[in-house]
Amino acid sequence: MFNGTMEGYENFLSFNDIWELLFARESESVVIDCYVNAYLFLPREENPDIFWNFGYVGAALKGYVQSCRDDKSKEQYFEYAFGKLDQAPNEFDLIFSPMHVGTNHWALLVIHIKEKEFHVYDSLRNKYRRDIPQYVEQLKRYLKGKHIDADKWPLRYPDPSPQQGSGDDCGIFTCKYMECLARRDIQDLPFSQYDMPYVQAKFALHFIKAYFNAQGRS
């Protein structure tokens, strides 16, 4: 990635883009994708704290699917996203699907394959979002075609789920949910709004490191 590839994922990011990507809301889907690819998908020896066998279907999937008017187009978007996985969906423990919900917010949907449940981690849970259960129903229909009968899988909102104090950090919270869940570090999900300046600095460090690693390979 960053003018190269990492673990089969292609993302292009110039050094001059890093600041805007971290702090410009219109770019948050790219931030989320890049963080997953630059950090969570590092080789095991470079990231030994990642325990779960997880898949990732991209931050733009929900938006693409729910913009479609016909089922055939929705199916094509699901096929493209799930086709990037390196295993069949039922071979994972978790599948992460970040969601752009409402008009200007990010949350995380986790498909718990082994537990047969859908979990939503939302840093602004006080707002009811109709588009989340709608998206889950569309996912259920797609998974059924992949021999995963998820019709009766419940949609849960686990507690605790750290809540944001700022209106600008939902994408960062979404990334932290994935990081903690991938590490099985789920006891109270140990982060808060207070940690966000440190987390943003950590994101920038990962992006810059990945950028220079890619430059070294080019």
Side-chain angles (χ1 to χ4, degrees):
M1 59 181 295
F2 309 114
N3 301 319
T5 63
M6 180 181 292
E7 295 295 312
Y9 289 83
E10 296 182 4
N11 283 287
F12 301 93
L13 185 69
S14 72
F15 185 72
N16 292 332
D17 291 333
I18 291 173
W19 178 268
E20 290 186 14
L21 284 174
L22 283 171
F23 301 107
R25 295 187 61 83
E26 62 271 15
S27 301
E28 280 183 326
S29 65
V30 182
V31 173
I32 294 168
D33 286 344
C34 286
Y35 183 67
V36 171
N37 296 334
Y39 181 62
L40 295 188
F41 280 125
L42 282 174
R44 176 72 65 165
E45 61 271 17
E46 296 183 42
N47 204 1
D49 294 331
I50 300 297
F51 296 108
W52 282 109
N53 173 28
F54 69 91
Y56 179 73
V57 293
L61 177 60
K62 175 182 175 292
Y64 285 139
V65 168
Q66 296 200 316
S67 70
C68 296
R69 296 186 177 182
D70 62 279
D71 291 340
K72 183 178 180 180
S73 296
K74 293 176 183 179
E75 179 81 9
Q76 289 173 342
Y77 280 119
F78 278 127
E79 283 290 346
Y80 178 78
F82 279 83
K84 284 182 168 288
L85 299 175
D86 59 1
Q87 303 177 61
N90 59 5
E91 295 177 357
F92 290 99
D93 297 314
L94 311 173
I95 297 177
F96 295 140
S97 180
M99 305 178 292
H100 189 259
V101 295
T103 58
N104 203 18
H105 183 60
W106 286 94
L108 176 66
L109 177 69
V110 182
I111 308 172
H112 272 269
I113 300 296
K114 304 302 182 185
E115 295 184 16
K116 299 184 178 181
E117 295 182 345
F118 295 92
H119 291 182
V120 173
Y121 293 86
D122 186 349
S123 59
L124 288 175
R125 269 187 57 185
N126 58 328
K127 298 180 180 179
Y128 176 68
R129 308 182 191 284
R130 290 182 297 174
D131 52 336
I132 292 178
Q134 290 171 356
Y135 176 56
V136 169
E137 289 304 313
Q138 292 162 343
L139 263 172
K140 288 179 178 181
R141 288 193 290 272
Y142 173 76
L143 291 172
K144 191 169 186 178
K146 298 300 176 182
H147 310 293
I148 300 175
D149 188 0
D151 283 347
K152 295 183 180 180
W153 292 12
L155 175 60
R156 303 192 187 280
Y157 292 75
D159 282 319
S161 182
Q163 299 292 285
Q164 68 185 81
S166 164
D168 298 328
D169 291 328
C170 52
I172 307 296
F173 270 78
T174 297
C175 291
K176 283 298 294 181
Y177 292 145
M178 286 189 285
E179 179 183 331
C180 290
L181 292 167
R183 289 178 168 178
R184 297 184 186 173
D185 193 8
I186 57 176
Q187 185 65 38
D188 295 330
L189 288 174
F191 67 94
S192 69
Q193 180 66 47
Y194 178 81
D195 300 310
M196 287 302 106
Y198 166 78
V199 173
Q200 287 177 323
K202 180 181 174 183
F203 278 28
L205 178 63
H206 286 306
F207 289 169
I208 292 169
K209 180 180 178 181
Y211 171 81
F212 281 112
N213 286 344
Q215 293 301 304
R217 294 195 300 268
S218 62

